[in-house]
Amino acid sequence: MSAKMDVDEPTIDEGLYSRQLYVLGHEAMKKMAVSNVLIVGVQGLGVEIAKDVVLAGVKSVTIYDPEPVTIQDLSTQFFLRPEDVGKPRAEATVPRLAELNAYVPVRNLGGTAGQEITVDLIKGFQVVVLCGIPLAKQIEINDWTHQNGISFISAEIRGLFGNVFNDFGPKFTCVDPTGEQPLTGMIVSVDKDSEGLVTCLDETRHGLEDGDFVTFTEVQGMTELNGCEPRKISVKGPYTFTIGDTSNLSDYKAGGIFTQVKMPKIIEFKPLRESLASPEFFMTDFAKFDRPATLHAGFQALSQFQMQHKRLPRPRNAADAAIVVELAKKLDKDVDEKALTELSYQATGDISAMVAVIGGFVAQEVLKACSAKFHPMVQNMYFDSLESLPSTLPSEADCQPLGSRYDGQIAVFGKSFQDKIANHRQFLVGSGAIGCEMLKNWSMMGLAAGPKGAIQVTDLDTIEKSNLNRQFLFRPKDIGKFKAEVAAAAVADMNPDLKGKIVTSQEAVGPASEDVYSDSFFSEIDGVTNALDNVKARLYMDQRCVFYQKPLLESGTLGTKGNTQVVVPFLTESYASSQDPPEKETPSCTVKNFPNAIAHTIEWSRQQFDVLFVKPAQAANAYLSEPNYLESTLKYSGQQSEQVGQLLSFLVTNKPLTFEECIVWARLQFEEKYNNDIRQLLYSLPKDAVTSTGQPFWSGPKRAPDALTFDSNDRLHLDYIKAAANLHAFNYGLKGETNEAVYKKVADSVIVPEFTPKSGIQVQINDNDPVPQGGAAPVDDLDVLIAKLPSPASMAGYRLNPVEFEKDDDTNYHIDFITAASNLRATNYSINPADRHTTKQIAGKIIPAIATTTALVTGLVCLELYKIIDGKNKLDDYKNGFVNLALPFFGFSEPIAAAKNKYGSTEWTLWDRFEFKDDPTLQDIMNWFQKEHKLSISMVSQGVSMLWSSFIGKKKSEERLPMKFSKLVEFVSKKPIPPHVKHLIVEVMVSDEDDEDVEV
């Protein structure tokens, strides 16, 4: 075995691993790339762990499971097919796992049926994972791994119960316990005494906690702090902290930046043998505080039962359950008998949602063991979702195996509930990362496999390379195809019962597609599951679900964090009821003149990208194609001469005919942005400038810049010229140049005009200051400029190519330009530059993502879906979840009830409304409100049209009140109602008998 372990310095495919690199970082991934992982037992749980670890990119994954495939394995093992029954499990699974990631070899350790894993077989691996292996064998293997510095994880799932045990050795070093970005901030003073109080700039809180470590840069005066060994802090207030003795250092003058230093943490794990006697529980649900101790005894009792009877307890069999409870009581007399009885009842159960939760969790623990990034779980985890059981519990007879692929689920929920699942109809919005996992779980559950069942999936997106790292239904051959179609075909292959049951579409959800997702569409579904990546679409679907009174399952992930929310009609608040605070925006004057962080220069260069390569080409095309463009567009804009000048430059004076002219243009851009503009700013605000109170102007967050002198031997300068010239050439359809010598030669030969700073130029210092206006050109100058423009007719058919920003294509120079432009500006302002990878994330607003979190969150959603199918109607039946796999942390809470409003004696929530059928007249509606609720209407509106109000005058009133409602809407909006619209949402303002406005 050891001969196969090849060790070399790995290079990381940033195209494939892009989104995950933003979670783990290059260092952690390099450690993963030299780790060999062994997974023993590849039923559902083992294959879920293997899938997530293969996608994440370790050195190699080896699986061991010589037992023959049974039909029941298909309950959760999504890489087995009915024709695999009878073959050894590992042999049948390896080819499908190996397709997931070309960089990760997947091997089968062999063995023959009935042969258990032994210590000899596990040598040469860095991490060993045992899934569903008897306890005695776990202890034997763990005794050896604990002695030999190998990380050990064991896990098993019994119905709606799961457990995980971690032992990463007696002294495991975790290099980054949280995975959060190190905090950093500007400081304004450091006291010179035994405590050393540091005061931060009062714009932002420092966010540090007692016991954190920091180091410093750019401190003037007390320079000994710059690059000092990490100093332990204690927090004194939101803007102050102490750093220990500074009395023997120089006097502090000004400036400085603190940066938090992540300190490694050493964790001491106990072996399994000791942990059985004195466990350390990791809590997954604080509402079930006593559950872990009960299950700790319960899982041991199950293991004893299996050894004695050579089988597991039978589904819902009371006699077997009594034995398990007895065995558990010998270990711990205070166990909860009810929970243990259920554990025994469900021992043969195999639930795909549980596999996803525990499998995603364990896979992340495997990555922690390989990379030392993030804090491992210490040490025993027990998780259950008993709340997912149907309100009417199944009978013993209803849970007996039928020799079907759903036996693992039937053992827990019963056959009659299985039929409910099969006839359920769901609408899945999005089939990206969460969507793929959701469809896989649904296909294992047999959702929509029955005669009435149906799954609708929509996604407007096509597959890109960076998707393959976590959207596991897609393969390299699928790049460019529609996500929904590929995903639907892949899961119908996993479970042939779904063939013909999944309908896919590429229409985005939104007001424009309400003829596709119409009344009749919503009347044919039982609920909606969001698998979206933006808030706007989530809010829209939430609004549709409230309108059609359909349950909504909502979830999202951000790196190792994930959340789930259940929206149930008439019971809970909706997704829109509580919103996150808006993101903080950088003041525009900071970006324009006073950057102090790399994010500011990246934002500036992203704006430059649009100003140079997108907007001028769009404007030129508009001028050439739209009649009267100059009159209509420029009349209202304050910068007419600028815009006409730009058209003239792009279409006449500076229109390049060769690629070399594009290089000249790029060289002049460099001069303007990184030399002239900076010299002008320093002329208007010299380095020794003072404010009205006599303080130095360039201090605190304002960093004084320095102009750059072009040097074609400086890699960064040449990168800028290359990217800018190629993008400019793209605007004109000119072919680029690969030879670097050409760029150097042309750039060096450019004669750059002499620059003289102008006086009287105003600089905007605060966002509240007026924006300085360039002197408006006299109108006759403007006419002279316009006269020089070629007439659109003379350039008929000529168009420029505006650049469309695409962050994931490494050959198009987009991120290259933004990286170079940002780093040059960072050099102007002495800000640490950022590499291309970091720049790409910030400029492209990329959400970090990893397969482990996605799998786990989707599992939690499916545990709630069982409750929706059952029609549960109490708040405490449901759970909203929040997880962070880095810490690790699980938090669950009841959904928030829908807020109640009241008028008169009537209470109402966002789920209530007044419904009128058969197209009444406006008068009918007004009479009804008066009669039924003693409310008089003062205004009626629909969409953007005001249909009637108490002040529109008698003539209009008499005309409109008797109209049928649909005719009234068409009359006022002057537009016919589209044929798919079967109802209108109308808003009314009403007042009660005392003329008080009432909210309905």
Side-chain angles (χ1 to χ4, degrees), residues 183-257:
L183 297 164
T184 173
M186 285 176 259
I187 61 173
V188 291
S189 72
V190 185
D191 294 353
K192 189 171 165 180
D193 61 29
S194 60
E195 282 290 288
L197 184 75
V198 178
T199 306
C200 301
L201 192 71
D202 60 6
E203 284 185 4
T204 45
R205 296 161 176 262
H206 55 64
L208 295 164
E209 295 177 7
D210 281 346
D212 284 347
F213 285 79
V214 297
T215 183
F216 297 87
T217 47
E218 301 185 23
V219 176
Q220 297 160 39
M222 201 182 275
T223 51
E224 298 91 338
L225 287 180
N226 292 331
C228 65
E229 282 298 302
R231 297 180 77 127
K232 192 172 185 174
I233 68 119
S234 75
V235 174
K236 293 297 176 233
Y239 306 101
T240 52
F241 57 88
T242 54
I243 54 170
D245 194 354
T246 52
S247 52
N248 52 358
L249 306 181
S250 318
D251 288 344
Y252 175 86
K253 283 203 188 106
I257 293 174

Side-chain angles (χ1 to χ4, degrees), residues 45 84 123 138 209 328 370 557 566 606 686 689 718 761 912 917 931 979:
L45 178 58
D84 295 325
K123 293 175 178 169
Q138 290 178 38
E209 295 177 7
C370 298
T557 72
V566 199
R606 179 69 185 83
L718 198 63
I761 296 269
D912 297 307
K917 296 196 167 44
K931 184 168 148 256

Side-chain angles (χ1 to χ4, degrees), residues 798-809:
Y798 182 81
R799 295 288 182 273
L800 296 183
N801 309 317
V803 177
E804 283 186 38
F805 178 59
E806 169 47 65
K807 58 188 176 289
D808 284 317
D809 175 354

Side-chain angles (χ1 to χ4, degrees), residues 561-608:
K561 302 184 182 87
N563 67 289
T564 63
Q565 183 183 351
V566 199
V567 177
V568 183
F570 306 107
L571 192 62
T572 71
E573 64 171 21
S574 80
Y575 172 75
S577 306
S578 46
Q579 293 211 6
D580 293 337
E583 284 181 38
K584 244 173 75 172
E585 291 197 352
T586 312
S588 62
C589 58
T590 302
V591 173
K592 206 168 158 194
N593 297 316
F594 311 114
N596 58 53
I598 196 69
H600 301 157
T601 67
I602 293 173
E603 190 173 330
W604 177 86
S605 58
R606 179 69 185 83
Q607 289 169 5
Q608 284 293 309

Side-chain angles (χ1 to χ4, degrees), residues 12 14 21 24-32 835 837-838:
I12 292 167
E14 290 193 354
L21 273 162
L24 299 174
H26 284 78
E27 280 316 300
M29 283 206 57
K30 281 184 177 148
K31 288 187 191 154
M32 281 160 44
D835 61 10
H837 179 68
T838 309

